[in-house]
Amino acid sequence: VLSSLEGMDSQLSDDGVTFQLHRNKDNLGAGWGRHQLISMMSGDYLVQMDSDIVVPSRWSERLMDHFLRQPDVGVVGAMASHAWGKQDAKHVSPTHGKQTADGIVPGLDEFSEELYQRNKGWLIETFRVGTGTMMTTRDVVDKIGGFDSFGLWGNEDFDFSWRASIAGFITGIARDCYVYHHGHGGAKQLNWHVVASNSQSKFNKKWGIPVGDPGVWLALGEQYMMTRPFDAARDFIPLLESSKMETSIGDLRAMGGL
């Protein structure tokens, strides 16, 4: 578990599960935090999950099932009440916007089960998978490395799933797995447009995408899939050594991560 949120450790309960909490002294942004987390990976599977996610029963086994069904699956994202593109389910979810003050989402398990029964086994293949709730494998990390940081927030998840796609893995969205996502929490809510624009500019520059419509890279995605094969020298992001886990805002700026 990785968090820069005050009080997060008090929200973690010990139900016989061993967990590790890494706390950053500064808020270094989502991209760097995800890269720290993936660098701490010790098992065969890893879930990236935002702090404002509420999960229903059996969510993890429903994501895992897609990896077991198809051996080439490398990245799978869950449907959510607040998400981008094909992961967004707020228009069909009766739970959207109904989280109570104590964190309870009425009807979450019931809707999740209904969605599962309706869409069981349905995986939509797409190179754009968000990390609101994303599961990946050790094989993917060994092949493409970790997350690239484009600033405080944004595009590190799409960059990761894109690199996984061109490396030969199936990336997609589990239409049979739903989680509740409050959305737009954390530091990014303070200056949303500035943070998003800065991230998008860095992302576009990395992938050679013309400046203009922030969503233009979506239209170019299939073209890139066919014309830009995975190149480890260019596309592999090395994981952090333990000595680099304690990074300050100044250090990250010096490395170009902010």
Side-chain angles (χ1 to χ4, degrees), residues 214-235:
V216 70
W217 67 278
L218 292 175
L220 296 175
E222 185 175 347
Q223 173 186 332
Y224 274 104
M225 294 300 105
M226 295 185 293
T227 62
R228 178 170 167 163
F230 183 81
D231 180 351
R234 176 191 59 203
D235 300 318

Side-chain angles (χ1 to χ4, degrees), residues 22-187:
H22 178 89
R23 180 186 294 281
N24 288 320
K25 295 179 181 179
D26 301 318
N27 185 347
L28 303 177
W32 190 254
R34 300 191 205 286
H35 189 51
Q36 287 177 301
L37 176 60
I38 209 166
S39 297
M40 297 165 62
M41 183 179 181
S42 59
D44 294 327
Y45 296 90
L46 177 84
V47 174
Q48 294 273 351
M49 181 178 291
D50 287 352
S51 59
D52 53 352
I53 294 285
V54 182
V55 296
S57 302
R58 303 182 64 188
W59 67 273
S60 59
E61 64 185 76
R62 289 170 181 172
L63 284 181
M64 179 75 72
D65 185 57
H66 292 281
F67 294 91
L68 301 179
R69 286 171 179 266
Q70 301 184 70
D72 292 335
V73 169
V75 179
V76 175
M79 299 288 292
S81 56
H82 187 104
W84 291 99
K86 297 176 182 178
Q87 281 182 266
D88 189 64
K90 63 175 173 284
H91 297 302
V92 299
S93 169
T95 70
H96 179 62
K98 295 185 177 180
Q99 185 176 14
T100 62
D102 57 0
I104 302 300
V105 181
L108 177 58
D109 275 353
E110 291 80 2
F111 175 71
S112 174
E113 179 64 24
E114 175 190 334
L115 190 77
Y116 175 73
Q117 293 300 333
R118 187 166 66 227
N119 297 334
K120 185 177 180 180
W122 185 8
L123 181 74
I124 295 180
E125 293 187 26
T126 175
F127 59 88
R128 188 191 194 201
V129 181
T131 45
T133 303
M134 171 200 278
M135 181 178 285
T136 191
T137 69
R138 167 61 64 184
D139 287 343
V140 172
V141 177
D142 287 344
K143 179 78 172 183
I144 74 170
F147 284 83
D148 204 351
S149 177
F150 298 94
L152 278 175
W153 175 87
N155 291 303
E156 71 280 345
D157 43 5
F158 302 149
D159 176 85
F160 183 86
S161 56
W162 198 332
R163 287 185 288 120
S165 292
I166 65 176
F169 295 96
I170 294 173
T171 61
I173 298 164
R175 296 287 293 184
D176 57 1
C177 182
Y178 173 81
V179 299
Y180 179 89
H181 185 197
H182 180 71
H184 287 188

